[in-house]
Amino acid sequence: MRNADVWRALRAPFLVGLVLSLALMLLPLAALGDGGTAQVHTLPAVPTPAAEPSSTTAPAPGAWDGSQTLRVLQTDGTVETMSMSDYLWRVVAAEMPASFENDALRAQAVCARTYSLWKLQARSHESDGADICADSNCCQAYISQEDAAQRWEDSAEAYTAKIAAAVADTDGQVLTYGGAPIQAVFFSSADGQTADAAEVWGRALPYLVPVDSPEGDEVPNYHSTVTLTAEEVRTLAQGAGLGCDLSGEPSAWFQNLTRTASGRVAAVDLGGVSLSGGACRSLFALRSASFDVAEAGGVFTFSVTGYGHGVGMSQYGANAMAKAGSGWREILAHYYTGAELQTGD
């Protein structure tokens, strides 16, 4: 298999969608109003998902995923060839807790498959003799079955089968826009709403727009705090070469905080230099750009809600929707506005 063989059925539409998608190729992946309703079409229909895996024996891979071959660049520099189904198992196991609802895991499997095909079109690992890599900073998180089993301990057999079922139940299903795979980014948890790709990365995509997200305080570390002394803030700002004037009283260092439509910090002035919410998140190691900052006695407290960049599918939001009875198709339609489901040959 090479890229052209993997997506023979969608080759022509991909070229159109690729022009739109490649502008965000280097964006990070393991991140209001309703945003519209996505139309979901399945061509052909996938098997009807079971409510629970019938046993702890992993199901056979689906015909489409099982027939596709991927060359995966490992973190040690070697390249391992495996089926799409095997690769997706490793990604879903790494990206989402196996304890999540089945339909949340199915939605995650579709996101992982879609993002894989989007990355394949970029040919970013062609010089490595690979199609995709196992580095979450470049492609997607990835874990071997052996390492996953150690993590899961007594639940390993059941979780192994559960994730295999999520991949098999969505065999070949891909989210598309204009006939091409979308950039199906996802993140951990939102502060009530997802973010527009334009507000986070400066480039709008029609299927990555703000929508409500139902998760809340049941999310671990949903609310978190980061405390930094004035000297620590000064050291971080100087180390980043920001050129901030932090000679005055710390109480006046942060000024003019503004927010996006989704409630995240759009920009804030630090010592006269304007920083985006995302830049603050990175600089001060915050879990998200949804934060407030307060100063008292020369100590800054950042109060943060949610985790991740906020764009695309919220994983805890997907789990909350699944608990409330939403199927994986409905979850995907909610988070990726206007995207459609298609299947490969």
Side-chain angles (χ1 to χ4, degrees), residues 274-301:
S274 181
L275 302 178
S276 69
C280 285
R281 179 194 173 202
S282 298
L283 183 63
F284 302 121
L286 310 179
R287 286 171 62 84
S288 82
S290 181
F291 66 87
D292 293 301
V293 58
E295 185 273 341
V299 175
F300 293 94
T301 299

Side-chain angles (χ1 to χ4, degrees), residues 43-65:
L43 303 172
V46 297
T48 302
E52 296 286 343
S54 58
S55 72
T56 57
T57 302
W64 195 87
D65 288 340

Side-chain angles (χ1 to χ4, degrees), residues 59-62 65-66 84-93 102 105-106 108-110 112-113 161-173:
D65 288 340
M84 175 71 80
S85 58
D86 285 344
Y87 172 71
L88 293 179
W89 189 99
R90 288 159 170 79
V91 171
V92 175
N102 289 333
L105 289 164
R106 291 173 181 129
Q108 183 69 61
V110 175
R113 183 182 298 106
K162 187 177 182 182
I163 292 176
V167 175
D169 289 345
T170 61
D171 179 46
Q173 293 297 292

Side-chain angles (χ1 to χ4, degrees), residues 51 54 64 153 180-181 231 260 271 292 305 310 341 345:
S54 58
W64 195 87
E153 298 181 336
E231 186 58 34
T260 67
D292 293 301
T305 303
L341 279 168
D345 269 351

Side-chain angles (χ1 to χ4, degrees), residues 189 217-224 287 304-307:
S189 58
D217 290 335
E218 75 280 2
V219 179
N221 299 311
Y222 188 57
H223 300 289
S224 59
R287 286 171 62 84
V304 188
T305 303
Y307 184 28

Side-chain angles (χ1 to χ4, degrees), residues 9-21:
L10 295 177
R11 182 187 306 149
F14 279 1
L15 296 177
V16 176
L18 181 58
V19 174
L20 178 63
S21 298

Side-chain angles (χ1 to χ4, degrees), residues 110-121:
V110 175
C111 290
R113 183 182 298 106
T114 302
Y115 194 83
S116 299
L117 293 167
W118 182 83
K119 287 289 292 186
L120 280 170
Q121 295 304 299

Side-chain angles (χ1 to χ4, degrees), residues 28-33 183-201 207-213 215 222 260-265 277-278 281 286-290 304-317 334-336:
L29 201 159
L32 298 183
Q183 188 182 3
V185 291
F186 47 88
F187 63 101
S188 179
S189 58
D191 184 8
Q193 294 177 320
T194 65
D196 195 307
E199 74 184 51
V200 176
W201 295 318
Y207 51 81
L208 294 178
V209 296
V211 298
D212 292 337
S213 195
E215 69 271 41
Y222 188 57
T260 67
S262 67
R264 292 163 178 80
V265 173
R281 179 194 173 202
L286 310 179
R287 286 171 62 84
S288 82
S290 181
V304 188
T305 303
Y307 184 28
H309 51 63
V311 182
M313 186 183 76
S314 163
Q315 294 172 313
Y316 275 92
H334 177 73
Y335 283 109
Y336 300 102

